[in-house]
Amino acid sequence: QVQLVESGGGSVQAGGSLRLSCTTSTYTTGLNFMGWFRQASGKEREEVATIYLSGASFYAASLKGRFTISHDNALNTVYLQMNSLKPEDTAMYYCAAGFGGWSGPLPGPNRYAYWGQGTQVTVSS
C-alpha cells in the first residue's frame, strides 16, 4: 500500500504563489508517473499536470505557464509550483501515483492507483 501525503496548501491573495508537495510513504517498484488533480466545490475533478519518472511533464492547457510540476529523482516527492494564482484556482488539490508504461500526457484519474488526501488551496481576490 502506497500512501501519498500532500502539503503546502493554504490561503493566498490573487497573484501570489504556493508550492505543493506530495511525498510517497515508501519506495515503490514500478511507479512511473505522478499527477496533480484539483476539485473545486461543486465542480468535477480536473487534471492539472503529470510528470513521468523520465522527467517529461505535461499540463492542462489552461494552466500551462503558471504551474510547474517537478519531482526528485525517484518520484519520492513531487512538487507543484503555482504562480500568479487566481481565485478560480481555489480547490482541493490531490496528488496521485501511476504505474506501468506511457499513459499519455494527461492519463486521467482511472490510470492512477493511489491518491493522497488532498491539500486545500484558497485564493482570495
Side-chain angles (χ1 to χ4, degrees):
Q1 183 75 14
V2 177
Q3 291 185 331
L4 307 177
V5 179
E6 301 100 332
S7 61
S11 298
V12 296
Q13 290 190 328
S17 298
L18 284 173
R19 189 175 83 152
L20 307 183
S21 299
C22 172
T23 302
T24 56
S25 58
T26 60
Y27 173 77
T28 304
T29 302
L31 179 60
N32 189 39
F33 56 96
M34 299 281 286
W36 284 98
F37 291 76
R38 68 183 185 182
Q39 188 165 19
S41 179
K43 296 188 177 181
E44 293 187 356
R45 182 170 41 187
E46 177 185 15
E47 195 160 11
V48 173
T50 304
I51 189 164
Y52 281 78
L53 183 61
S54 65
S57 59
F58 305 91
Y59 301 88
S62 62
L63 300 174
K64 192 173 182 179
R66 293 195 299 122
F67 289 15
T68 303
I69 190 171
S70 61
H71 73 78
D72 64 6
N73 289 336
L75 284 178
N76 288 332
T77 303
V78 177
Y79 305 97
L80 185 68
Q81 178 67 43
M82 306 184 295
N83 298 327
S84 302
L85 284 163
K86 305 175 181 179
E88 51 263 44
D89 294 319
T90 295
M92 185 72 78
Y93 284 71
Y94 300 91
C95 68
F99 296 78
W102 168 252
S103 296
L106 294 174
N110 291 337
R111 282 292 289 118
Y112 289 91
Y114 297 99
W115 293 80
Q117 294 298 308
T119 186
Q120 177 68 38
V121 171
T122 302
V123 184
S124 58
S125 58

PDB file of all heavy atoms in Angstrom, residues 69-97:
ATOM      1  N   ILE A  69       5.275  21.410 -12.634  1.00  0.00           N
ATOM      2  CA  ILE A  69       5.387  20.168 -11.885  1.00  0.00           C
ATOM      3  C   ILE A  69       6.831  19.693 -11.967  1.00  0.00           C
ATOM      4  O   ILE A  69       7.489  19.830 -13.008  1.00  0.00           O
ATOM      5  CB  ILE A  69       4.403  19.098 -12.416  1.00  0.00           C
ATOM      6  CG1 ILE A  69       4.349  17.892 -11.492  1.00  0.00           C
ATOM      7  CG2 ILE A  69       4.734  18.702 -13.851  1.00  0.00           C
ATOM      8  CD1 ILE A  69       3.228  16.893 -11.835  1.00  0.00           C
ATOM      9  N   SER A  70       7.325  19.157 -10.865  1.00  0.00           N
ATOM     10  CA  SER A  70       8.684  18.645 -10.838  1.00  0.00           C
ATOM     11  C   SER A  70       8.753  17.499  -9.834  1.00  0.00           C
ATOM     12  O   SER A  70       7.818  17.286  -9.057  1.00  0.00           O
ATOM     13  CB  SER A  70       9.688  19.742 -10.480  1.00  0.00           C
ATOM     14  OG  SER A  70       9.419  20.271  -9.186  1.00  0.00           O
ATOM     15  N   HIS A  71       9.861  16.786  -9.847  1.00  0.00           N
ATOM     16  CA  HIS A  71       9.998  15.693  -8.888  1.00  0.00           C
ATOM     17  C   HIS A  71      11.462  15.480  -8.544  1.00  0.00           C
ATOM     18  O   HIS A  71      12.362  15.942  -9.253  1.00  0.00           O
ATOM     19  CB  HIS A  71       9.383  14.404  -9.433  1.00  0.00           C
ATOM     20  CG  HIS A  71      10.165  13.741 -10.536  1.00  0.00           C
ATOM     21  ND1 HIS A  71      11.296  12.988 -10.317  1.00  0.00           N
ATOM     22  CD2 HIS A  71       9.953  13.685 -11.862  1.00  0.00           C
ATOM     23  CE1 HIS A  71      11.751  12.523 -11.461  1.00  0.00           C
ATOM     24  NE2 HIS A  71      10.953  12.933 -12.423  1.00  0.00           N
ATOM     25  N   ASP A  72      11.687  14.751  -7.475  1.00  0.00           N
ATOM     26  CA  ASP A  72      13.043  14.328  -7.184  1.00  0.00           C
ATOM     27  C   ASP A  72      13.353  13.142  -8.088  1.00  0.00           C
ATOM     28  O   ASP A  72      12.524  12.711  -8.882  1.00  0.00           O
ATOM     29  CB  ASP A  72      13.196  13.986  -5.708  1.00  0.00           C
ATOM     30  CG  ASP A  72      12.341  12.791  -5.290  1.00  0.00           C
ATOM     31  OD1 ASP A  72      11.712  12.146  -6.148  1.00  0.00           O
ATOM     32  OD2 ASP A  72      12.289  12.531  -4.085  1.00  0.00           O
ATOM     33  N   ASN A  73      14.516  12.595  -7.983  1.00  0.00           N
ATOM     34  CA  ASN A  73      14.951  11.598  -8.958  1.00  0.00           C
ATOM     35  C   ASN A  73      14.111  10.342  -8.983  1.00  0.00           C
ATOM     36  O   ASN A  73      14.029   9.669  -9.991  1.00  0.00           O
ATOM     37  CB  ASN A  73      16.416  11.218  -8.702  1.00  0.00           C
ATOM     38  CG  ASN A  73      17.364  12.327  -9.075  1.00  0.00           C
ATOM     39  OD1 ASN A  73      17.029  13.178  -9.897  1.00  0.00           O
ATOM     40  ND2 ASN A  73      18.531  12.351  -8.470  1.00  0.00           N
ATOM     41  N   ALA A  74      13.468  10.005  -7.916  1.00  0.00           N
ATOM     42  CA  ALA A  74      12.777   8.719  -7.867  1.00  0.00           C
ATOM     43  C   ALA A  74      11.273   8.864  -7.683  1.00  0.00           C
ATOM     44  O   ALA A  74      10.612   7.913  -7.304  1.00  0.00           O
ATOM     45  CB  ALA A  74      13.352   7.882  -6.725  1.00  0.00           C
ATOM     46  N   LEU A  75      10.747  10.029  -7.951  1.00  0.00           N
ATOM     47  CA  LEU A  75       9.318  10.287  -7.747  1.00  0.00           C
ATOM     48  C   LEU A  75       8.907  10.140  -6.291  1.00  0.00           C
ATOM     49  O   LEU A  75       7.726  10.019  -5.999  1.00  0.00           O
ATOM     50  CB  LEU A  75       8.451   9.367  -8.618  1.00  0.00           C
ATOM     51  CG  LEU A  75       8.355   9.697 -10.106  1.00  0.00           C
ATOM     52  CD1 LEU A  75       7.499   8.656 -10.826  1.00  0.00           C
ATOM     53  CD2 LEU A  75       7.773  11.068 -10.341  1.00  0.00           C
ATOM     54  N   ASN A  76       9.871  10.153  -5.383  1.00  0.00           N
ATOM     55  CA  ASN A  76       9.508  10.093  -3.976  1.00  0.00           C
ATOM     56  C   ASN A  76       8.758  11.339  -3.538  1.00  0.00           C
ATOM     57  O   ASN A  76       7.891  11.276  -2.667  1.00  0.00           O
ATOM     58  CB  ASN A  76      10.757   9.910  -3.109  1.00  0.00           C
ATOM     59  CG  ASN A  76      11.342   8.525  -3.228  1.00  0.00           C
ATOM     60  OD1 ASN A  76      10.622   7.568  -3.500  1.00  0.00           O
ATOM     61  ND2 ASN A  76      12.629   8.408  -3.033  1.00  0.00           N
ATOM     62  N   THR A  77       9.123  12.441  -4.100  1.00  0.00           N
ATOM     63  CA  THR A  77       8.428  13.685  -3.816  1.00  0.00           C
ATOM     64  C   THR A  77       8.159  14.408  -5.132  1.00  0.00           C
ATOM     65  O   THR A  77       9.052  14.536  -5.964  1.00  0.00           O
ATOM     66  CB  THR A  77       9.250  14.602  -2.891  1.00  0.00           C
ATOM     67  OG1 THR A  77       9.541  13.902  -1.684  1.00  0.00           O
ATOM     68  CG2 THR A  77       8.460  15.857  -2.551  1.00  0.00           C
ATOM     69  N   VAL A  78       6.955  14.849  -5.283  1.00  0.00           N
ATOM     70  CA  VAL A  78       6.538  15.603  -6.459  1.00  0.00           C
ATOM     71  C   VAL A  78       6.056  16.972  -5.997  1.00  0.00           C
ATOM     72  O   VAL A  78       5.413  17.087  -4.948  1.00  0.00           O
ATOM     73  CB  VAL A  78       5.417  14.866  -7.208  1.00  0.00           C
ATOM     74  CG1 VAL A  78       4.925  15.690  -8.381  1.00  0.00           C
ATOM     75  CG2 VAL A  78       5.916  13.517  -7.695  1.00  0.00           C
ATOM     76  N   TYR A  79       6.378  17.960  -6.782  1.00  0.00           N
ATOM     77  CA  TYR A  79       6.038  19.332  -6.423  1.00  0.00           C
ATOM     78  C   TYR A  79       5.125  19.949  -7.488  1.00  0.00           C
ATOM     79  O   TYR A  79       5.182  19.580  -8.667  1.00  0.00           O
ATOM     80  CB  TYR A  79       7.307  20.179  -6.311  1.00  0.00           C
ATOM     81  CG  TYR A  79       8.332  19.616  -5.373  1.00  0.00           C
ATOM     82  CD1 TYR A  79       9.386  18.848  -5.851  1.00  0.00           C
ATOM     83  CD2 TYR A  79       8.250  19.850  -4.003  1.00  0.00           C
ATOM     84  CE1 TYR A  79      10.331  18.316  -4.997  1.00  0.00           C
ATOM     85  CE2 TYR A  79       9.193  19.331  -3.136  1.00  0.00           C
ATOM     86  CZ  TYR A  79      10.232  18.565  -3.630  1.00  0.00           C
ATOM     87  OH  TYR A  79      11.170  18.047  -2.776  1.00  0.00           O
ATOM     88  N   LEU A  80       4.344  20.877  -7.053  1.00  0.00           N
ATOM     89  CA  LEU A  80       3.562  21.687  -7.987  1.00  0.00           C
ATOM     90  C   LEU A  80       3.746  23.141  -7.590  1.00  0.00           C
ATOM     91  O   LEU A  80       3.227  23.587  -6.569  1.00  0.00           O
ATOM     92  CB  LEU A  80       2.081  21.308  -7.966  1.00  0.00           C
ATOM     93  CG  LEU A  80       1.235  22.029  -9.005  1.00  0.00           C
ATOM     94  CD1 LEU A  80       1.605  21.558 -10.414  1.00  0.00           C
ATOM     95  CD2 LEU A  80      -0.260  21.805  -8.756  1.00  0.00           C
ATOM     96  N   GLN A  81       4.535  23.843  -8.368  1.00  0.00           N
ATOM     97  CA  GLN A  81       4.741  25.265  -8.151  1.00  0.00           C
ATOM     98  C   GLN A  81       3.637  26.027  -8.864  1.00  0.00           C
ATOM     99  O   GLN A  81       3.471  25.873 -10.079  1.00  0.00           O
ATOM    100  CB  GLN A  81       6.104  25.694  -8.688  1.00  0.00           C
ATOM    101  CG  GLN A  81       6.396  27.176  -8.554  1.00  0.00           C
ATOM    102  CD  GLN A  81       6.546  27.612  -7.117  1.00  0.00           C
ATOM    103  OE1 GLN A  81       7.192  26.937  -6.317  1.00  0.00           O
ATOM    104  NE2 GLN A  81       5.958  28.753  -6.766  1.00  0.00           N
ATOM    105  N   MET A  82       2.916  26.819  -8.122  1.00  0.00           N
ATOM    106  CA  MET A  82       1.790  27.556  -8.680  1.00  0.00           C
ATOM    107  C   MET A  82       2.042  29.045  -8.536  1.00  0.00           C
ATOM    108  O   MET A  82       2.181  29.541  -7.413  1.00  0.00           O
ATOM    109  CB  MET A  82       0.495  27.158  -7.964  1.00  0.00           C
ATOM    110  CG  MET A  82       0.238  25.660  -7.970  1.00  0.00           C
ATOM    111  SD  MET A  82      -1.341  25.205  -7.241  1.00  0.00           S
ATOM    112  CE  MET A  82      -1.097  25.717  -5.553  1.00  0.00           C
ATOM    113  N   ASN A  83       2.121  29.730  -9.647  1.00  0.00           N
ATOM    114  CA  ASN A  83       2.380  31.170  -9.659  1.00  0.00           C
ATOM    115  C   ASN A  83       1.192  31.923 -10.226  1.00  0.00           C
ATOM    116  O   ASN A  83       0.318  31.352 -10.881  1.00  0.00           O
ATOM    117  CB  ASN A  83       3.628  31.458 -10.489  1.00  0.00           C
ATOM    118  CG  ASN A  83       4.878  30.811  -9.930  1.00  0.00           C
ATOM    119  OD1 ASN A  83       5.030  30.672  -8.715  1.00  0.00           O
ATOM    120  ND2 ASN A  83       5.773  30.410 -10.814  1.00  0.00           N
ATOM    121  N   SER A  84       1.179  33.206  -9.981  1.00  0.00           N
ATOM    122  CA  SER A  84       0.112  34.076 -10.495  1.00  0.00           C
ATOM    123  C   SER A  84      -1.266  33.475 -10.213  1.00  0.00           C
ATOM    124  O   SER A  84      -2.114  33.389 -11.098  1.00  0.00           O
ATOM    125  CB  SER A  84       0.301  34.302 -12.006  1.00  0.00           C
ATOM    126  OG  SER A  84       1.556  34.877 -12.281  1.00  0.00           O
ATOM    127  N   LEU A  85      -1.459  33.078  -8.994  1.00  0.00           N
ATOM    128  CA  LEU A  85      -2.696  32.389  -8.629  1.00  0.00           C
ATOM    129  C   LEU A  85      -3.901  33.309  -8.784  1.00  0.00           C
ATOM    130  O   LEU A  85      -3.830  34.527  -8.562  1.00  0.00           O
ATOM    131  CB  LEU A  85      -2.595  31.860  -7.204  1.00  0.00           C
ATOM    132  CG  LEU A  85      -1.737  30.595  -7.071  1.00  0.00           C
ATOM    133  CD1 LEU A  85      -1.341  30.357  -5.628  1.00  0.00           C
ATOM    134  CD2 LEU A  85      -2.488  29.398  -7.631  1.00  0.00           C
ATOM    135  N   LYS A  86      -5.008  32.673  -9.162  1.00  0.00           N
ATOM    136  CA  LYS A  86      -6.262  33.380  -9.386  1.00  0.00           C
ATOM    137  C   LYS A  86      -7.323  32.795  -8.472  1.00  0.00           C
ATOM    138  O   LYS A  86      -7.225  31.629  -8.056  1.00  0.00           O
ATOM    139  CB  LYS A  86      -6.698  33.214 -10.843  1.00  0.00           C
ATOM    140  CG  LYS A  86      -5.662  33.646 -11.865  1.00  0.00           C
ATOM    141  CD  LYS A  86      -6.128  33.325 -13.276  1.00  0.00           C
ATOM    142  CE  LYS A  86      -5.087  33.731 -14.309  1.00  0.00           C
ATOM    143  NZ  LYS A  86      -5.524  33.400 -15.685  1.00  0.00           N
ATOM    144  N   PRO A  87      -8.359  33.549  -8.184  1.00  0.00           N
ATOM    145  CA  PRO A  87      -9.439  32.998  -7.334  1.00  0.00           C
ATOM    146  C   PRO A  87     -10.009  31.691  -7.891  1.00  0.00           C
ATOM    147  O   PRO A  87     -10.397  30.816  -7.108  1.00  0.00           O
ATOM    148  CB  PRO A  87     -10.475  34.121  -7.336  1.00  0.00           C
ATOM    149  CG  PRO A  87      -9.666  35.366  -7.486  1.00  0.00           C
ATOM    150  CD  PRO A  87      -8.550  34.987  -8.433  1.00  0.00           C
ATOM    151  N   GLU A  88     -10.035  31.549  -9.199  1.00  0.00           N
ATOM    152  CA  GLU A  88     -10.564  30.317  -9.788  1.00  0.00           C
ATOM    153  C   GLU A  88      -9.646  29.113  -9.601  1.00  0.00           C
ATOM    154  O   GLU A  88     -10.014  27.989  -9.951  1.00  0.00           O
ATOM    155  CB  GLU A  88     -10.872  30.511 -11.279  1.00  0.00           C
ATOM    156  CG  GLU A  88      -9.732  31.104 -12.086  1.00  0.00           C
ATOM    157  CD  GLU A  88      -9.871  32.618 -12.261  1.00  0.00           C
ATOM    158  OE1 GLU A  88     -10.205  33.316 -11.274  1.00  0.00           O
ATOM    159  OE2 GLU A  88      -9.621  33.084 -13.395  1.00  0.00           O
ATOM    160  N   ASP A  89      -8.459  29.331  -9.061  1.00  0.00           N
ATOM    161  CA  ASP A  89      -7.578  28.219  -8.719  1.00  0.00           C
ATOM    162  C   ASP A  89      -7.931  27.605  -7.364  1.00  0.00           C
ATOM    163  O   ASP A  89      -7.362  26.584  -6.969  1.00  0.00           O
ATOM    164  CB  ASP A  89      -6.115  28.671  -8.686  1.00  0.00           C
ATOM    165  CG  ASP A  89      -5.591  29.085 -10.049  1.00  0.00           C
ATOM    166  OD1 ASP A  89      -5.913  28.388 -11.042  1.00  0.00           O
ATOM    167  OD2 ASP A  89      -4.874  30.102 -10.121  1.00  0.00           O
ATOM    168  N   THR A  90      -8.854  28.236  -6.664  1.00  0.00           N
ATOM    169  CA  THR A  90      -9.284  27.721  -5.372  1.00  0.00           C
ATOM    170  C   THR A  90      -9.877  26.334  -5.528  1.00  0.00           C
ATOM    171  O   THR A  90     -10.804  26.128  -6.319  1.00  0.00           O
ATOM    172  CB  THR A  90     -10.313  28.665  -4.733  1.00  0.00           C
ATOM    173  OG1 THR A  90      -9.683  29.920  -4.451  1.00  0.00           O
ATOM    174  CG2 THR A  90     -10.883  28.071  -3.458  1.00  0.00           C
ATOM    175  N   ALA A  91      -9.330  25.375  -4.794  1.00  0.00           N
ATOM    176  CA  ALA A  91      -9.769  23.980  -4.914  1.00  0.00           C
ATOM    177  C   ALA A  91      -9.013  23.135  -3.903  1.00  0.00           C
ATOM    178  O   ALA A  91      -8.031  23.588  -3.301  1.00  0.00           O
ATOM    179  CB  ALA A  91      -9.505  23.451  -6.325  1.00  0.00           C
ATOM    180  N   MET A  92      -9.470  21.917  -3.772  1.00  0.00           N
ATOM    181  CA  MET A  92      -8.687  20.899  -3.078  1.00  0.00           C
ATOM    182  C   MET A  92      -7.768  20.273  -4.121  1.00  0.00           C
ATOM    183  O   MET A  92      -8.244  19.870  -5.196  1.00  0.00           O
ATOM    184  CB  MET A  92      -9.589  19.844  -2.462  1.00  0.00           C
ATOM    185  CG  MET A  92      -8.847  18.824  -1.619  1.00  0.00           C
ATOM    186  SD  MET A  92      -8.254  19.514  -0.068  1.00  0.00           S
ATOM    187  CE  MET A  92      -9.790  19.500   0.876  1.00  0.00           C
ATOM    188  N   TYR A  93      -6.496  20.200  -3.799  1.00  0.00           N
ATOM    189  CA  TYR A  93      -5.520  19.649  -4.731  1.00  0.00           C
ATOM    190  C   TYR A  93      -5.071  18.274  -4.248  1.00  0.00           C
ATOM    191  O   TYR A  93      -4.720  18.099  -3.077  1.00  0.00           O
ATOM    192  CB  TYR A  93      -4.311  20.587  -4.852  1.00  0.00           C
ATOM    193  CG  TYR A  93      -4.600  21.802  -5.698  1.00  0.00           C
ATOM    194  CD1 TYR A  93      -5.445  22.809  -5.242  1.00  0.00           C
ATOM    195  CD2 TYR A  93      -4.052  21.931  -6.967  1.00  0.00           C
ATOM    196  CE1 TYR A  93      -5.732  23.922  -6.032  1.00  0.00           C
ATOM    197  CE2 TYR A  93      -4.321  23.040  -7.757  1.00  0.00           C
ATOM    198  CZ  TYR A  93      -5.163  24.026  -7.284  1.00  0.00           C
ATOM    199  OH  TYR A  93      -5.444  25.119  -8.067  1.00  0.00           O
ATOM    200  N   TYR A  94      -5.069  17.336  -5.174  1.00  0.00           N
ATOM    201  CA  TYR A  94      -4.719  15.958  -4.861  1.00  0.00           C
ATOM    202  C   TYR A  94      -3.546  15.510  -5.729  1.00  0.00           C
ATOM    203  O   TYR A  94      -3.488  15.855  -6.918  1.00  0.00           O
ATOM    204  CB  TYR A  94      -5.894  15.023  -5.156  1.00  0.00           C
ATOM    205  CG  TYR A  94      -7.144  15.313  -4.379  1.00  0.00           C
ATOM    206  CD1 TYR A  94      -8.120  16.170  -4.880  1.00  0.00           C
ATOM    207  CD2 TYR A  94      -7.380  14.704  -3.144  1.00  0.00           C
ATOM    208  CE1 TYR A  94      -9.276  16.440  -4.174  1.00  0.00           C
ATOM    209  CE2 TYR A  94      -8.545  14.963  -2.428  1.00  0.00           C
ATOM    210  CZ  TYR A  94      -9.480  15.842  -2.949  1.00  0.00           C
ATOM    211  OH  TYR A  94     -10.637  16.096  -2.256  1.00  0.00           O
ATOM    212  N   CYS A  95      -2.682  14.709  -5.150  1.00  0.00           N
ATOM    213  CA  CYS A  95      -1.680  14.048  -5.971  1.00  0.00           C
ATOM    214  C   CYS A  95      -2.047  12.569  -6.092  1.00  0.00           C
ATOM    215  O   CYS A  95      -2.793  12.029  -5.276  1.00  0.00           O
ATOM    216  CB  CYS A  95      -0.277  14.213  -5.412  1.00  0.00           C
ATOM    217  SG  CYS A  95       0.032  13.356  -3.870  1.00  0.00           S
ATOM    218  N   ALA A  96      -1.517  11.969  -7.127  1.00  0.00           N
ATOM    219  CA  ALA A  96      -1.834  10.575  -7.406  1.00  0.00           C
ATOM    220  C   ALA A  96      -0.634   9.895  -8.033  1.00  0.00           C
ATOM    221  O   ALA A  96       0.190  10.547  -8.688  1.00  0.00           O
ATOM    222  CB  ALA A  96      -3.037  10.485  -8.335  1.00  0.00           C
ATOM    223  N   ALA A  97      -0.558   8.581  -7.829  1.00  0.00           N
ATOM    224  CA  ALA A  97       0.581   7.788  -8.318  1.00  0.00           C
ATOM    225  C   ALA A  97       0.123   6.780  -9.352  1.00  0.00           C
ATOM    226  O   ALA A  97      -0.885   6.087  -9.144  1.00  0.00           O
ATOM    227  CB  ALA A  97       1.237   7.061  -7.149  1.00  0.00           C
TER     228      ALA A  97
END
